[in-house]
Amino acid sequence: MAETAFALAMAGIAFMMTVVWGTPFIRVLRRLGISTRIREDAPGKPSSVVPTMGGFLFLTPVLFLTLILNIASAAGRPGIGLSILLPLLSLISFAFVGVLNDIRKDRPGKLYLPGRLFLVQVLLALALATGLQQVLDVPQAYIPFVPIEVDLGYGYIPLGAGVILMFANAVQTTAGVNGLSGLLMATAYASFGAVSALQQQVYITRFCFTVVGALLGFLWFNIKPASLLMGRTGAYALGATLGVVALMTGQWPLLLLIGIIPLVEISSLLLDRYFSRLNPPRPLLLARPLHKHLAVLGWSNTQIIQRYWLVSLLFAMIGISLTRV
């Protein structure tokens, strides 16, 4: 009970820190001209320019609090634990890739080619998966209804890297609707916070709920009408680190349920691209990924967010329950 209270307190502190410095942070982004143009979902409304790279808004409190608690651990007080430095490294490294991508989006041709950025992602994912297996020696896989840990052997590193890489890019596909990515990721991190609490992995629990609190603070500025966008800076960092956290618990197969919406979104994008090449005049979707297709069909941003979140919450509850069977 005390550990749960501490984790929830961390969420509250992260939320307050994010909200407090959100307004001055947005002012700085506006002065620097770090913004992007977004379209309104209502017909006839003009597009608007909104600051981006908002991932830094919630990443900064998470980094600060995690490092402070690690200093506390080094001093012999209850903290976060050195194992959390790996997901922290994931946050920083994939946020850096996101920064390069965000800048390149605004200045085509000025930075690396997309293929090079993807290669960087692959190398980072392989390094993180290697660290999980060789340094932290995390559980390789728990599968529902299988009473023992599944040993993946040499296949763990490429499979773990694939999980990290998949979710780094899957979360990005949900970033086109104000509030959607933040709400989905807050639900996913809370779910794995609950999973790690059931496993009594207190450091992962504290880290997950710190991220949840910071994301809720970010949503304060990101819900419609958004005054700040997450950008690839936040999306890549959140998605990759969600994969790392899931791998640390050994319950990463549950990402098929807890991460159902990002997986559906990126699958719809890939399927539509493949289908369009086979049948050029007749694409699978009216727009890609799926949430844009639904918007063309007449769904409002509010409908998409609420229904996506309800589905995400339902599957998250199912996923958490499966850890006990």
Side-chain angles (χ1 to χ4, degrees):
M1 185 63 69
E3 294 297 341
T4 302
F6 189 90
L8 293 176
M10 293 304 301
I13 294 170
F15 172 80
M16 289 186 289
M17 288 179 63
T18 307
V19 171
V20 165
W21 91 292
T23 300
F25 175 71
I26 292 172
R27 288 174 183 163
V28 170
L29 291 178
R30 289 189 182 278
R31 289 176 181 174
L32 295 175
I34 302 174
S35 57
T36 189
R37 187 171 296 276
I38 61 172
R39 299 177 182 176
E40 298 291 339
D41 60 342
K45 283 193 175 182
S47 59
S48 55
V49 177
V50 181
T52 187
M53 290 194 194
F56 285 119
L57 179 64
F58 56 81
L59 293 177
T60 302
V62 172
L63 296 176
F64 176 78
L65 290 173
T66 304
L67 291 174
I68 288 295
L69 288 173
N70 268 289
I71 293 172
S73 294
R77 297 180 179 275
I80 282 286
L82 294 176
S83 61
I84 297 303
L85 292 179
L86 191 66
L88 206 62
L89 177 62
S90 173
L91 278 177
I92 296 170
S93 58
F94 274 87
F96 176 71
V97 175
V99 168
L100 295 179
N101 213 326
D102 280 333
I103 295 174
R104 186 184 177 279
K105 181 180 177 183
D106 295 331
R107 299 180 181 179
K110 296 296 183 182
L111 283 176
Y112 305 106
L113 296 172
R116 293 183 182 178
L117 286 178
F118 184 73
L119 178 60
V120 172
Q121 285 188 333
V122 171
L123 295 175
L124 287 173
L126 287 170
L128 290 167
T130 302
L132 288 167
Q133 185 188 52
Q134 302 297 326
V135 179
L136 298 184
D137 192 25
V138 299
Q140 297 214 355
Y142 294 119
I143 299 176
F145 305 105
V146 177
I148 60 173
E149 176 188 345
V150 177
D151 187 359
L152 300 174
Y154 292 110
Y156 179 84
I157 291 177
L159 189 57
V163 169
I164 296 168
L165 197 61
M166 171 65 77
F167 274 87
N169 290 279
V171 173
Q172 167 56 28
T173 63
T174 65
V177 181
N178 296 340
L180 180 58
S181 293
L183 191 57
L184 293 177
M185 286 298 97
T187 304
Y189 275 92
S191 299
F192 276 102
V195 169
S196 60
L198 291 172
Q199 295 178 333
Q200 297 184 342
Q201 296 201 54
V202 296
Y203 300 139
I204 301 177
T205 304
R206 293 173 185 177
F207 176 80
C208 285
F209 280 100
T210 301
V211 175
V212 171
L215 280 173
L216 294 178
F218 167 75
L219 286 170
W220 186 276
F221 303 98
N222 184 240
I223 56 176
K224 190 177 179 181
S227 55
L228 182 67
L229 300 178
M230 181 182 296
R232 289 170 173 81
T233 302
Y236 287 157
L238 284 175
T241 307
L242 178 65
V244 170
V245 166
L247 289 162
M248 290 179 74
T249 65
Q251 297 283 3
W252 58 267
L254 295 181
L255 282 169
L256 293 172
L257 297 174
I258 295 174
I260 183 69
I261 295 299
L263 287 176
V264 167
E265 285 282 293
I266 195 170
S267 297
S268 70
L269 187 150
L270 296 173
L271 284 172
D272 186 65
R273 285 181 178 175
Y274 179 72
F275 194 85
S276 298
R277 291 177 181 176
L278 293 179
N279 302 277
R282 301 182 62 184
L284 187 63
L285 302 175
L286 298 174
R288 60 188 182 217
L290 181 61
H291 70 263
K292 292 186 177 180
H293 171 81
L294 296 173
V296 173
L297 291 178
W299 288 34
S300 67
N301 278 1
T302 302
Q303 287 177 310
I304 293 171
I305 293 169
Q306 290 179 345
R307 291 172 183 177
Y308 268 27
W309 181 69
L310 288 174
V311 172
S312 177
L313 184 61
L314 173 63
F315 277 85
M317 290 189 294
I318 295 172
I320 294 170
S321 68
L322 287 177
T323 63
R324 312 311 293 170
V325 299

